[in-house]
Amino acid sequence: MTQPRTLLDKLWSAHEILKREDGTSLLWVDRHLVHEGSHHAFGKLAARGADVAAPDLTFAVVDHYAPTRQRERIADPQVSRMIDTLRNNAKQHRLQLFDLMDPGQGIVHVVGPEQGLTLPGLLINCGDSHTSTHGAFGALAFGIGATEVAHVLATQTIWQKKPKSMRITVDGSLGPGVSAKDIALNWIARLGTGGAQGCAIEYAGSAVRDLSMEGRMTLCNLSIEGGARLGMVAPDEVTFAYLKDRPYAPKGADWDAGLEDWANLPSDDGAEFDLEVTLHGDDIAPTVTWGTSPEQALPVTETIPDPATLDPGKADAARAALDYMDLPSGRALEGIAVDQVFLGSCTNGRIEDLRAAAAVLAGRRAKVPGMVSPGSAQVKAQAEQEGLDRIFTEAGLDWVASGCSMCVGMNGDLVAPGKRCASSTNRNFRGRQGPGARTHLMSPAMVAAAAVTGTITDVRPLLHGRAA
Amino acid sequence: MAGWRTHAGRAITLPHDNIDTDQLIPARFMSAPRSEGYGKFLLHDLRHDADGAEVPDFPLNRHDDATILVAGRNFGSGSSREAAVYALVDAGITTVIAPSFGDIFASNAVNNGLLPARLSERQVKQLMMHLGDQSGAARIDIDAKELRIGDHSFAFELDDGWQTKLINGWDDIDLTLAHRDQIHSFRDQRLKTSRWAWPTAQDQEPPGTRAQ
């Protein structure tokens, strides 16, 4: 009898072209996604005079520098130059480009799945750490640096050492107002930002099975914040229903053949993982970060810890974080005043995220300004069809176009120095949303709650009597 | 990229955990061409105050001859931006010593000749105690996977494949293209057994025509 295998084992062996003596494998890349930030890699390719090996498997998306307002006339010449560089590279190498005005434009990790470019059983690379998002479909998806992007462009392969396997099982079910974001912040707070270093995470358990594809993508997206190389969820009927008839997804006999292969991907019974962690969905509360690292997170009902009571290795970091965040230890998280809110990003910019926020905001006014940037032009169109845009604008928030926007600020959407932002994004690093900006990470529903009260707020009471 | 085996230089400490890629190089500098040199962007917002003036007691500002950094755990966590490595390399840094590194950062480092040398938390603490806020003479030997700072001599951890790559300064693309036939037959086989893995053609237009 053959050894039971994990999803990781199966995906790895399906892509392994060869293995070197030092244990490094050469893997076949099924999809390569590039964006404006890939300019260094195209530069390396040009320096070699090399061509893109598989233009049919390489897709370009304008997202990191995409203006969220006034796209027709880009004001910032630097932004304009970055986008033009991508256009020129895409044209020169005959790559499909989702350009600024394309109805398929959006954040690369939203576009891939919604176009059906992301499928179970694929190996997907992109020069962006949040490439782990695509693992939600049962794909091997991980971020790479510019030298590796150039390598994939030139060879359609990547050298990698097989990561350790880790299974995070979330039993039970999530309560109302609790989402995939809260699962992620919860395990990262527990294990630390290096907790999954060198690991491929497979998320399992009833609370994960119950998540929509959008929720699974949020969970896999944040794997990197816990140090993991990648995150995955085994494909199932939810996955297949999401993908069927998507533009680039297989059709007819190819679809049937895909379904047959994908059904064999889930980890075999009895397969062993290098590390196992179990959480209970019912214990997870809406979670918020208080510091400058995603591991500095707590349930919204808690108080900010006293650094002196923390593990000595973490005390200095906590002191520095509280100083930067201008927060005292011992203060309740609830009630901390925010200056603004941001809804969007590859973590939480999908239709379900906007619906969750709109469920809180409907019929209410925001006490602070804020921006809502849908994850893609398609999400934007869908939200407008459902009337969500009116809920946001009637609440007083700005409804803008899609891109990475205020998650990373490359397009000029910044939080001003010293300002505090309740944000549905992925990193609360110092200066991430702009020099001196103070970021509190939380779910879209929690961002909406913060907008309504102007403070960090437990969303659950605001959902009473409403369909969340 | 040129390979290297040994390096003698000056080490300083950055006594913090989780020095993430957004600290190493803030995103707003990343559109600059590499030819401009990225050294001036290294840890920019920690080295400068809100008005852009240098923070005088920041370790890198006090010791502009540093070539080796000793830092806390999870160095280079965060984004895949290789620009974080460019900033270090262009500032003259050859080696970062830490208990752990962000995975993507570490491979980016090796791809650019920057050594991510792993020591235990305890060993890193000893080096930090030894150096304090001064710089100290240091020697790195990649062949032996050994480093010496003052009286402290430690064996560091480094993946064997990365060791070879750092020493030879190899370009992976040339190595990989030596396996061209194997890659092609793998591709042909995959196309035969898993045709679903290729994107469905959208229309009859040649690729790239959606580019404006």
Side-chain angles (χ1 to χ4, degrees), chain A residues 6 17 21-22 26 30 53 59 63 69 95 155 193 220-221 223 234 248 250 254 325 341 387 420 429 450 465:
Chain A
T6 62
I17 300 167
E21 262 179 36
D22 65 17
L26 185 65
D30 294 304
F59 294 80
D63 61 1
R69 296 179 170 93
L95 310 181
T155 68
T193 47
C220 289
N221 172 284
S223 303
Y248 290 87
D254 288 341
M325 296 295 288
V341 302
R420 192 179 299 284
F429 296 166

Side-chain angles (χ1 to χ4, degrees), chain A residues 14-18 22 26 28 30-31 39-40 44 48 56-57 59 65 78 81-82 87 94-97 99 101-102 119-122 127-129 143-148 150-151 154-155 157 159 161 193-194 197-198 224 227 229 247-251 254 257-258 261-262 295 313-314 408 410 427 429-430 432 435, chain B residues 15-18 20-23 26-34 38 45-46 73-75 77-83 86 100-104 107-108 111-112 125 159-162 164 171-177 179 182-183 186-187 190 193-202 206-212:
Chain A
H15 291 89
E16 191 173 60
I17 300 167
L18 61 94
D22 65 17
L26 185 65
W28 173 254
D30 294 304
R31 296 285 185 278
H39 69 105
H40 288 295
K44 286 172 196 281
R48 293 180 66 94
D56 55 331
L57 302 179
F59 294 80
Y65 289 83
Q78 182 178 299
R81 183 168 53 80
M82 291 298 283
R87 285 175 179 150
R94 298 166 55 79
L95 310 181
Q96 173 80 61
L97 172 69
D99 206 342
M101 299 303 185
D102 193 297
L119 300 172
L122 297 186
D128 186 276
S129 58
I144 54 178
T147 301
E148 292 170 319
H151 185 275
T155 68
T157 63
W159 291 100
K161 268 219 166 132
T193 47
Q197 220 150 41
I224 185 81
R229 197 75 188 83
Y248 290 87
K251 307 284 183 310
D254 288 341
D261 288 353
W262 301 337
E295 72 184 21
K314 300 200 166 182
V408 66
M410 289 178 173
R427 290 190 176 131
F429 296 166
R430 260 167 196 272
R432 166 83 175 182
Chain B
H16 305 290
D17 291 340
N18 290 315
D20 57 66
T21 50
D22 280 74
Q23 305 313 308
R28 64 185 184 279
F29 299 123
M30 285 163 46
S31 60
R34 177 72 187 278
Y38 270 49
D45 292 351
L46 294 176
R73 71 180 171 92
N74 213 17
F75 187 90
S77 54
S79 94
S80 64
R81 58 184 72 166
E82 197 160 298
Y86 302 160
S100 59
F101 293 92
D103 284 340
I104 309 178
S107 24
N108 290 343
N111 280 327
N112 288 278
K125 283 267 152 59
D159 175 88
D160 289 344
W162 285 357
T164 313
D171 181 332
D172 273 348
I173 295 179
D174 292 328
L175 279 183
T176 306
L177 291 177
H179 301 291
Q182 253 174 300
I183 297 170
F186 183 95
R187 177 194 177 277
R190 184 156 178 78
T193 59
S194 312
R195 216 172 59 133
W196 54 262
W198 265 258
T200 305
Q202 287 311 285
T209 50
R210 287 170 85 160
Q212 291 172 359

Side-chain angles (χ1 to χ4, degrees), chain A residues 17-38:
Chain A
I17 300 167
L18 61 94
K19 189 173 177 178
R20 263 189 340 225
E21 262 179 36
D22 65 17
T24 312
S25 304
L26 185 65
L27 304 174
W28 173 254
V29 178
D30 294 304
R31 296 285 185 278
H32 189 203
L33 310 172
V34 296
H35 55 83
E36 307 96 296
S38 311

